[in-house]
Amino acid sequence: MKTRPLGRSGLDVSAIGLGCMGLSHAYGPAADRTDAIALIRLAVERGVTLFDTAEVYGPFTNEELVGEALAPLREHVVVATKFGFRDADANAGLDSRPTRIRAVAEASLRRLRTDRIDLFYQHRVDPAVPIEDVAGTVGRLVEEGKVLHFGLSEAGSETIRRAHAVQPVAALQSEYSLWWREPEETVMPTLEELGIGFVPFSPLGRGFLTGAIDADTAFASGDFRNTLPRFSVEARRANQALVERIAAIAAGRGVTPAQIALAWLLARKSWIVPIPGTTKRHRLDENVAAAAIELSPADLDGIDAALAAVAVHGDRYPPDRQRQVGR
Ligand SMILES: NC(=O)c1ccc[n+]([C@@H]2O[C@H](COP(=O)([O-])OP(=O)(O)OC[C@H]3O[C@@H](n4cnc5c(N)ncnc54)[C@H](OP(=O)(O)O)[C@@H]3O)[C@@H](O)[C@H]2O)c1
């Protein structure tokens, strides 16, 4: 697989990474542990070098899984994790106090079975803690060799600038995909100017953009998508029109809708590295293969036209989660 630089940070990673969250968290019951470890190791075999987790996924179990899977392969991979939710609970509010950041770093290092976190993201901007204090704390962890690079997630432009002035930010991880393009206006110009990489999360629209989900799909109880306005039955029914157009473009190219969604992100900027998640080996292969798909200007025009023709229904987050993004 080709590699890409995450901005001017010096961090080079596979053009497509693996989002590990769904192996233990958010999308129904956790995957079988042995299968999940095999999937992560298969990703390394396929050339994936960027693996994404967070203390809050599980909580803790996803880091433990990633740590176990990658321990024998540690020298070949980049491990990214995140701090910033109170008590490692995404429903308990935010906590980026310096003492908490240090405690998470130490605990994450243990769970990940490693002596360094390659990329340590603040999961959400905490309005109670100045971003300079957060950046300074991560900067000291960098000086100590416990963290190699600093990242932010769902931060706004002003916060990115202030953080970057204290401790260089290697990457921003925020939602970005065919059906969520707000970052193009809000943060991407800043990322380009400052030389910061962009790691789109939910690049497959949490599965919807692949065509594998429709209005009849029943999610398991506890599946996070049950809480998202964009995944209400009505929204899914309306948004099916977008998937149909993407599927038609994919068929014309002899690829899959998931591959169009990923190849489109890769075509936007050379410093973009999407991290699709999957629990299935055949889908891992499908997603990884998207790194080799070059979309032509005509393909990109066709995708733009399809996106312009369909209005996406449903907010991406419920109000409480929405308040935590873009700050
Ligand atoms: N920073 C943040 O706040 C934040 C938020 C959300 C996610 N993330 C990170 O981003 C990663 C990816 O995001 P995500 O998991 O939310 O969404 P995603 O990658 O857009 O979609 C994952 C979903 O798509 C399905 N899928 C994957 N490949 C497929 C394919 N080729 N065909 C059909 N279905 C496919 C998966 O189901 P199967 O498992 O059944 O294949 C899963 O349900 C996460 O793992 C996590 O590391 C970060």
Side-chain angles (χ1 to χ4, degrees):
M1 164 136 40
K2 293 176 217 160
T3 61
R4 289 189 159 207
L6 281 178
R8 296 193 286 269
S9 66
L11 189 55
D12 272 310
V13 294
S14 53
I16 291 181
L18 181 66
C20 297
M21 175 183 78
L23 292 166
S24 352
H25 183 81
Y27 298 146
D32 173 84
R33 190 176 175 84
T34 307
D35 290 348
I37 287 171
L39 182 102
I40 291 171
R41 291 182 181 162
L42 180 67
V44 181
E45 253 177 64
R46 295 291 188 259
V48 174
T49 64
L50 175 62
F51 292 82
D52 190 76
T53 181
E55 69 153 1
V56 77
Y57 301 159
F60 312 129
T61 50
N62 196 246
E63 283 189 334
E64 286 163 1
L65 175 77
V66 170
E68 181 176 347
L70 293 178
L73 302 159
R74 185 66 186 93
E75 302 310 314
H76 309 289
V77 295
V78 168
V79 179
T81 193
K82 315 183 194 81
F83 63 88
F85 285 108
R86 178 169 301 136
D87 301 330
D89 177 356
N91 298 313
L94 302 170
D95 188 351
S96 278
R97 289 172 300 154
T99 49
R100 173 78 183 137
I101 297 173
R102 292 198 76 89
V104 176
E106 297 294 346
S108 292
L109 284 168
R110 276 195 301 280
R111 286 189 291 269
L112 290 167
R113 303 187 190 193
T114 184
D115 59 357
R116 76 247 180 232
I117 296 166
D118 297 282
L119 178 53
F120 202 30
Y121 293 103
Q122 183 190 40
H123 214 145
R124 290 289 181 274
V125 174
D126 182 351
V129 183
I131 197 68
E132 288 79 5
D133 294 355
V134 173
T137 304
V138 176
R140 277 183 289 284
L141 289 165
V142 170
E143 281 163 18
E144 292 164 26
K146 293 175 176 174
V147 168
L148 302 190
H149 297 275
F150 176 34
L152 296 169
S153 179
E154 291 288 352
S157 244
E158 192 51 38
T159 303
I160 296 167
R161 282 183 193 284
R162 285 170 50 199
H164 192 70
V166 175
Q167 174 65 31
V169 176
L172 177 79
Q173 178 179 134
S174 293
E175 184 164 355
Y176 181 39
S177 67
L178 289 170
W179 74 348
W180 182 254
R181 297 180 64 179
E182 193 186 77
E184 290 172 6
E185 273 89 56
T186 52
V187 290
M188 283 172 60
T190 306
L191 300 180
E192 186 145 45
E193 179 195 326
L194 300 179
I196 296 172
F198 191 21
V199 176
F201 75 70
S202 303
L204 303 173
R206 302 180 188 271
F208 190 81
L209 297 169
T210 70
I213 293 170
D214 62 21
D216 297 326
T217 303
F219 298 114
S221 76
D223 189 311
F224 179 57
R225 288 169 291 200
N226 289 317
T227 70
L228 303 178
R230 191 162 285 190
F231 278 86
S232 72
V233 172
E234 301 72 39
R236 277 184 267 154
R237 192 168 289 123
N239 293 332
Q240 202 60 41
L242 176 61
V243 175
E244 280 160 18
R245 285 173 189 259
I246 296 166
I249 292 167
R253 274 294 309 251
V255 301
T256 69
Q259 290 174 331
I260 289 289
L262 295 171
W264 178 81
L265 284 169
L266 292 172
R268 307 298 293 172
K269 297 286 175 189
S270 60
W271 35 271
I272 288 183
V273 176
I275 47 166
T278 183
T279 55
K280 300 184 174 64
R281 296 164 76 105
H282 70 279
R283 287 178 171 172
L284 173 73
D285 281 335
E286 178 186 339
N287 297 345
V288 163
I293 296 171
E294 299 262 353
L295 295 176
S296 68
D299 294 329
L300 293 168
D301 287 347
I303 294 169
D304 271 344
L307 298 181
V310 182
V312 177
H313 288 241
D315 292 341
R316 71 170 175 129
Y317 276 133
D320 56 332
R321 302 267 176 167
Q322 184 58 36
R323 278 192 287 278
Q324 293 180 338
V325 297
R327 294 199 281 221

Coordinates of all heavy atoms in Angstrom, one line a residue, residues 18-22 27 52-53 57 82 123-124 153-154 173-174 200-208 210 212-213 225 256 258 275-280 283 286-287 317, ligand 1:
L18 N -6.8 1.7 9.7 CA -7.9 0.9 10.2 C -8.5 1.5 11.5 O -7.7 1.7 12.5 CB -7.4 -0.5 10.6 CG -8.5 -1.5 11.1 CD1 -9.6 -1.7 10.0 CD2 -8.0 -2.8 11.6
G19 N -9.7 1.9 11.5 CA -10.5 2.3 12.7 C -10.9 1.1 13.4 O -11.6 0.2 12.9
C20 N -10.4 1.0 14.7 CA -10.6 -0.3 15.4 C -11.9 -0.2 16.3 O -12.2 -1.2 16.9 CB -9.4 -0.6 16.2 SG -8.0 -0.9 15.1
M21 N -12.5 1.0 16.5 CA -13.6 1.2 17.4 C -14.6 0.1 17.3 O -15.0 -0.5 18.3 CB -14.2 2.6 17.2 CG -15.4 2.8 18.0 SD -16.2 4.4 17.7 CE -17.1 4.0 16.1
G22 N -15.1 -0.1 16.1 CA -16.3 -1.0 15.9 C -16.0 -2.5 16.3 O -16.9 -3.3 16.4
Y27 N -21.1 -0.2 17.7 CA -21.9 -0.8 16.7 C -22.4 -2.2 17.1 O -22.2 -3.2 16.3 CB -21.2 -0.8 15.3 CG -20.8 0.5 14.8 CD1 -19.6 0.8 14.1 CD2 -21.6 1.6 15.1 CE1 -19.3 2.1 13.7 CE2 -21.3 2.9 14.6 CZ -20.1 3.1 13.9 OH -19.8 4.4 13.5
D52 N -6.3 3.0 14.8 CA -7.0 4.0 15.6 C -7.8 3.4 16.7 O -8.7 2.5 16.5 CB -7.9 4.9 14.7 CG -8.4 6.1 15.5 OD1 -7.6 7.0 15.6 OD2 -9.6 6.1 15.9
T53 N -7.6 3.9 18.0 CA -8.4 3.4 19.1 C -8.6 4.6 20.0 O -8.2 5.7 19.7 CB -7.7 2.2 19.8 OG1 -8.5 1.8 20.9 CG2 -6.3 2.5 20.3
Y57 N -13.3 3.7 24.0 CA -13.9 2.6 23.2 C -13.8 1.3 24.1 O -12.8 0.7 24.3 CB -13.1 2.3 21.9 CG -13.1 3.5 21.0 CD1 -12.1 3.6 20.0 CD2 -14.0 4.5 21.0 CE1 -12.1 4.6 19.1 CE2 -14.0 5.6 20.1 CZ -13.0 5.6 19.2 OH -12.9 6.7 18.3
K82 N -6.7 8.2 22.2 CA -7.3 9.5 22.5 C -7.6 9.6 24.0 O -8.0 8.6 24.6 CB -8.6 9.7 21.7 CG -8.5 9.3 20.2 CD -9.7 9.6 19.5 CE -9.7 9.0 18.1 NZ -10.1 7.5 18.1
H123 N -9.8 14.0 22.3 CA -11.0 13.4 21.6 C -12.0 14.5 21.3 O -12.6 14.5 20.3 CB -11.6 12.3 22.5 CG -12.2 11.2 21.7 ND1 -12.2 9.9 22.2 CD2 -12.9 11.2 20.6 CE1 -12.9 9.1 21.3 NE2 -13.3 9.9 20.3
R124 N -12.2 15.4 22.3 CA -13.1 16.6 22.1 C -12.5 17.8 22.8 O -11.9 17.6 23.9 CB -14.5 16.3 22.6 CG -15.3 15.3 21.8 CD -15.7 15.9 20.4 NE -16.5 14.9 19.7 CZ -16.0 13.9 18.9 NH1 -14.7 13.8 18.8 NH2 -16.9 13.0 18.3
S153 N -9.3 16.2 17.7 CA -10.4 15.6 17.1 C -11.6 16.5 17.2 O -12.0 17.0 18.3 CB -10.8 14.3 17.7 OG -11.9 13.7 17.1
E154 N -12.2 16.8 16.0 CA -13.4 17.7 16.0 C -13.2 19.1 16.6 O -14.1 19.7 17.2 CB -14.6 17.0 16.7 CG -15.2 15.8 15.9 CD -15.9 16.2 14.6 OE1 -16.2 17.4 14.4 OE2 -16.2 15.3 13.8
Q173 N -8.4 14.7 13.5 CA -9.3 13.6 13.2 C -10.8 14.1 13.4 O -11.2 14.3 14.5 CB -9.1 12.3 14.1 CG -10.0 11.2 13.8 CD -9.8 10.0 14.6 OE1 -10.8 9.4 15.1 NE2 -8.6 9.5 14.7
S174 N -11.5 14.2 12.3 CA -12.9 14.7 12.4 C -13.7 13.9 11.3 O -13.1 13.3 10.4 CB -13.0 16.2 12.1 OG -12.3 16.9 13.2
P200 N -10.0 11.5 8.3 CA -11.4 11.5 8.3 C -11.9 10.2 9.1 O -11.5 9.1 8.7 CB -11.9 11.4 6.9 CG -10.7 11.9 6.1 CD -9.5 11.5 6.9
F201 N -12.8 10.5 10.1 CA -13.4 9.3 10.7 C -14.8 9.1 10.1 O -15.3 10.0 9.5 CB -13.4 9.4 12.3 CG -14.4 10.3 12.9 CD1 -15.8 10.1 12.9 CD2 -13.9 11.4 13.6 CE1 -16.7 10.9 13.6 CE2 -14.8 12.3 14.3 CZ -16.2 12.0 14.2
S202 N -15.3 7.9 10.3 CA -16.6 7.5 9.7 C -16.6 7.8 8.2 O -17.5 8.4 7.7 CB -17.8 8.1 10.4 OG -17.8 7.8 11.8
P203 N -15.5 7.4 7.5 CA -15.4 7.8 6.1 C -16.4 7.0 5.2 O -16.7 7.5 4.1 CB -14.0 7.3 5.7 CG -13.7 6.2 6.7 CD -14.4 6.6 7.9
L204 N -17.0 6.0 5.8 CA -18.0 5.2 5.0 C -19.4 5.6 5.6 O -20.4 4.9 5.4 CB -17.8 3.7 5.2 CG -16.5 3.2 4.7 CD1 -16.3 1.8 5.1 CD2 -16.3 3.5 3.2
G205 N -19.5 6.8 6.2 CA -20.8 7.2 6.8 C -21.4 6.2 7.7 O -22.6 5.9 7.7
R206 N -20.5 5.6 8.6 CA -20.9 4.6 9.6 C -21.5 3.4 8.9 O -22.5 2.8 9.4 CB -21.8 5.1 10.7 CG -21.1 6.3 11.4 CD -22.0 6.9 12.5 NE -21.4 8.1 13.1 CZ -20.6 8.1 14.1 NH1 -20.2 7.0 14.7 NH2 -20.2 9.3 14.6
G207 N -21.1 3.1 7.6 CA -21.6 2.0 6.9 C -22.7 2.4 5.9 O -22.9 1.6 4.9
F208 N -23.3 3.5 6.0 CA -24.5 3.8 5.2 C -24.0 4.0 3.7 O -24.7 3.6 2.8 CB -25.2 5.1 5.7 CG -26.5 5.3 4.9 CD1 -27.6 4.6 5.3 CD2 -26.6 6.2 3.9 CE1 -28.8 4.8 4.6 CE2 -27.8 6.4 3.2 CZ -28.9 5.7 3.6
T210 N -22.0 2.6 2.0 CA -21.6 1.4 1.2 C -22.7 0.7 0.6 O -22.6 -0.2 -0.2 CB -20.9 0.4 2.2 OG1 -22.0 -0.1 3.1 CG2 -19.8 1.0 3.1
A212 N -24.8 -1.0 2.3 CA -25.2 -2.2 3.1 C -26.3 -2.0 4.1 O -26.7 -2.9 4.8 CB -23.9 -2.7 3.8
I213 N -26.7 -0.7 4.2 CA -27.7 -0.4 5.2 C -28.9 0.3 4.5 O -28.6 1.1 3.6 CB -27.1 0.6 6.3 CG1 -26.1 -0.1 7.1 CG2 -28.2 1.3 7.1 CD1 -25.2 0.8 8.0
R225 N -25.8 4.0 16.4 CA -26.6 4.6 15.3 C -28.1 4.7 15.6 O -28.7 5.6 15.0 CB -26.4 3.7 14.0 CG -25.0 3.9 13.4 CD -24.6 2.9 12.4 NE -24.5 1.5 12.9 CZ -23.9 0.5 12.3 NH1 -23.3 0.7 11.2 NH2 -23.8 -0.7 12.9
T256 N -16.6 -0.8 -5.9 CA -17.8 -0.8 -5.0 C -18.1 0.6 -4.4 O -17.2 1.4 -4.5 CB -17.5 -1.8 -3.8 OG1 -16.5 -1.2 -2.9 CG2 -17.1 -3.2 -4.2
A258 N -18.2 1.5 -1.4 CA -17.3 1.8 -0.3 C -16.0 2.3 -0.9 O -15.3 3.3 -0.4 CB -17.0 0.6 0.6
I275 N -9.8 6.4 7.9 CA -9.6 5.2 8.8 C -10.9 4.4 8.8 O -11.6 4.4 9.9 CB -9.2 5.6 10.2 CG1 -10.0 6.8 10.7 CG2 -7.7 5.9 10.2 CD1 -9.8 7.0 12.2
P276 N -11.3 3.8 7.7 CA -12.6 3.0 7.8 C -12.5 1.8 8.8 O -11.4 1.3 9.0 CB -12.7 2.4 6.4 CG -11.3 2.4 5.9 CD -10.6 3.6 6.5
G277 N -13.6 1.5 9.4 CA -13.6 0.4 10.4 C -14.4 -0.7 9.8 O -15.4 -0.6 9.1
T278 N -14.0 -2.0 10.1 CA -14.8 -3.1 9.8 C -14.4 -4.3 10.7 O -13.3 -4.3 11.3 CB -14.6 -3.6 8.3 OG1 -15.5 -4.7 8.0 CG2 -13.1 -4.0 8.0
T279 N -15.4 -5.2 10.8 CA -15.1 -6.4 11.6 C -14.9 -7.6 10.7 O -14.8 -8.7 11.1 CB -16.3 -6.7 12.5 OG1 -17.5 -6.8 11.7 CG2 -16.5 -5.6 13.6
K280 N -14.9 -7.4 9.4 CA -15.0 -8.5 8.4 C -13.8 -8.5 7.5 O -13.4 -7.4 6.9 CB -16.3 -8.4 7.6 CG -17.5 -8.5 8.5 CD -18.8 -8.5 7.7 CE -19.9 -8.8 8.7 NZ -20.1 -7.7 9.7
R283 N -14.2 -7.3 3.8 CA -14.4 -5.8 3.7 C -13.1 -5.1 4.0 O -12.9 -4.0 3.4 CB -15.5 -5.4 4.7 CG -16.9 -5.8 4.2 CD -17.9 -5.3 5.2 NE -19.3 -5.6 4.7 CZ -20.4 -5.4 5.4 NH1 -20.3 -5.1 6.7 NH2 -21.6 -5.6 4.8
E286 N -11.5 -5.2 0.7 CA -12.2 -4.2 -0.2 C -11.8 -2.8 0.1 O -11.5 -2.0 -0.8 CB -13.7 -4.4 0.0 CG -14.6 -3.5 -0.8 CD -16.1 -3.6 -0.4 OE1 -16.5 -4.7 0.1 OE2 -16.8 -2.7 -0.7
N287 N -11.8 -2.4 1.4 CA -11.4 -1.1 1.7 C -10.0 -0.7 1.4 O -9.7 0.4 0.9 CB -11.8 -0.8 3.2 CG -13.2 -1.0 3.5 OD1 -14.1 -1.0 2.6 ND2 -13.6 -1.2 4.8
Y317 N -25.4 14.3 14.5 CA -25.3 14.0 15.9 C -26.6 14.5 16.6 O -27.2 15.5 16.2 CB -24.2 14.7 16.6 CG -22.8 14.0 16.5 CD1 -21.7 14.7 16.1 CD2 -22.7 12.7 16.8 CE1 -20.4 14.1 16.0 CE2 -21.5 12.0 16.8 CZ -20.3 12.7 16.4 OH -19.1 12.1 16.3
Ligands
LIG1 N1 -12.7 10.8 16.8 C1 -13.9 10.5 16.9 O1 -14.7 11.1 17.6 C2 -14.4 9.3 16.2 C3 -15.8 9.0 16.0 C4 -16.2 7.9 15.3 C5 -15.2 7.0 14.8 N2 -13.9 7.3 15.0 C6 -12.9 6.4 14.4 O2 -13.1 6.2 13.0 C7 -13.1 4.8 12.7 C8 -14.1 4.6 11.5 O3 -15.3 5.2 11.7 P1 -16.7 4.3 11.9 O4 -16.3 3.0 12.3 O5 -17.5 5.2 12.8 O6 -17.4 4.4 10.5 P2 -17.1 3.9 9.0 O7 -15.7 3.4 8.9 O8 -17.6 4.9 8.2 O9 -18.1 2.6 8.9 C9 -18.0 1.5 9.7 C10 -19.2 0.6 9.4 O10 -19.2 0.3 8.0 C11 -19.3 -1.1 7.8 N3 -18.4 -1.4 6.7 C12 -17.0 -1.2 6.7 N4 -16.5 -1.5 5.4 C13 -17.6 -1.9 4.7 C14 -17.7 -2.3 3.3 N5 -16.7 -2.4 2.5 N6 -19.0 -2.6 2.9 C15 -20.0 -2.5 3.7 N7 -20.0 -2.1 5.0 C16 -18.8 -1.8 5.5 C17 -18.9 -1.7 9.1 O11 -19.6 -2.9 9.4 P3 -18.8 -4.3 9.5 O12 -18.0 -4.3 10.7 O13 -20.0 -5.3 9.5 O14 -18.0 -4.5 8.2 C18 -19.2 -0.7 10.2 O15 -20.6 -0.8 10.6 C19 -13.6 4.2 14.0 O16 -13.3 2.8 14.0 C20 -12.9 5.0 15.1 O17 -11.5 4.5 15.2 C21 -13.5 8.4 15.7

